[in-house]
Amino acid sequence: MSQNIYDNETFFQEYKELRKNVYNYNILVEQPAIRKLLPDLSGKIVLDLGCGYGNNCIDFISKGASKVVGIDISSKMLEIAKKENIHENIKYIQMDMSKINILSQKFDLIFSSLAFHYVEDYKKLICDIRLLLKDNGTLLYSQEHPNTTAPKKGCVWTKDQFGNKLYSNLSDYMYSGKRKITWLNEKIEKYHRPMSEIINTLIKENFIIKELVEPIPDENALKKRPDFIDEFHRTTCVIIKAQLSH
Ligand SMILES: C[S@@+](CC[C@H](N)C(=O)[O-])C[C@H]1O[C@@H](n2cnc3c(N)ncnc32)[C@H](O)[C@@H]1O
């Protein structure tokens, strides 16, 4: 069964604090990069997997989408979405994305921001997505980069005597599977897959890779968050845009 860590009250409060900082990673690095890859959304039907607060759902509406379905496993995240990003053409559903095969509607775009690494069965997820996409539909998603998810244990960074990050440690890269890490003081379960597994799964399900982006902060982001310079050692996330071939 999928972990629902965002409904853990302590974790949720910590996460809310993190997102309150307007200079956070999502706002400065991931969102600008993934939004650049959005197709034309005029009149389109969009599914957002792991929609969280619904920020992207409301953005799709502002870009002309006619209908958006946002699903998330967490009732606490959806509570905020339903308060802050409500619209008559957005429907929020509490659902584990491992079970999207029960949805009956077809979509032009299936989108997900920083949530796929929480899903154990990536092959099933991509197969379900293929079945839910219209012909030539687009899958656009970000997830933690495999360089980031790889280590089973030990320090992620090698630092100098002053605590400055020198380089990122890479271990266990070819061991696909569960990782247990501590984030925001709680034990989190996520799933590592090497890049070959991520890409070949898409290819086997008839997707054509249109773009793969390893986003780095621009000058403006670095002025606000000089510590994001570490993203040049290894990027926190990877963004993939793929189109269903038939
Ligand atoms: C890092 S947050 C990102 C939220 C949102 N996509 C954004 O970019 O602001 C990850 C989200 O994925 C959701 N999530 C994790 N596992 C899930 C699953 N198995 N099914 C659906 N949602 C899931 C979490 O509840 C959380 O809201």
Side-chain angles (χ1 to χ4, degrees), residues 67-125:
K67 183 175 178 190
V68 179
V69 177
I71 73 154
D72 202 286
I73 199 169
S74 158
S75 60
K76 288 184 189 294
M77 296 296 276
L78 288 176
E79 214 172 286
I80 295 191
K82 285 175 190 167
K83 266 192 212 137
E84 295 184 358
N85 289 310
I86 193 156
H87 189 277
E88 57 185 347
N89 295 331
I90 302 180
K91 187 176 178 190
Y92 291 112
I93 308 173
Q94 188 180 7
M95 184 193 278
D96 180 347
M97 75 173 97
S98 310
K99 307 214 165 87
I100 51 169
N101 54 305
I102 63 168
L103 296 173
S104 49
Q105 175 152 33
K106 291 253 183 182
F107 299 89
D108 298 289
L109 169 69
I110 298 187
F111 175 94
S112 182
S113 163
L114 295 173
F116 277 15
H117 48 271
Y118 292 116
V119 174
E120 181 171 12
D121 194 342
Y122 175 71
K123 281 197 179 92
K124 177 182 184 299
L125 179 67

Side-chain angles (χ1 to χ4, degrees), residues 10 37 50 133 141 144 183 195 199 210-211 243 246:
T10 326
L37 300 180
L133 270 178
Y141 79 94
E144 282 191 20
W183 187 44
M195 193 65 89
I199 298 297
K210 296 300 233 180
E211 203 144 348
Q243 193 175 9
H246 56 81

Side-chain angles (χ1 to χ4, degrees), residues 122-181:
Y122 175 71
K123 281 197 179 92
K124 177 182 184 299
L125 179 67
I126 298 301
C127 176
D128 289 345
I129 288 172
R130 174 175 61 78
L131 295 171
L132 285 173
L133 270 178
K134 293 183 188 172
D135 286 351
N136 299 318
T138 302
L139 166 64
L140 174 61
Y141 79 94
S142 66
Q143 64 151 81
E144 282 191 20
H145 197 292
N147 288 348
T148 307
T149 53
K152 284 187 179 173
K153 55 177 188 278
C155 293
V156 173
W157 291 98
T158 295
K159 297 180 181 171
D160 69 14
Q161 56 182 323
F162 308 107
N164 301 311
K165 290 173 181 167
L166 292 176
Y167 48 82
S168 164
N169 303 325
L170 183 60
S171 60
D172 307 305
Y173 184 82
M174 291 311 291
Y175 293 106
S176 199
K178 191 183 277 188
R179 300 291 188 266
K180 291 183 180 175
I181 58 137

Side-chain angles (χ1 to χ4, degrees), residues 34-51:
I34 199 166
R35 286 182 180 179
K36 260 191 213 162
L37 300 180
L38 281 169
D40 176 13
L41 290 180
S42 318
K44 298 287 167 30
I45 302 177
V46 184
L47 174 64
D48 185 352
L49 301 175
C51 64

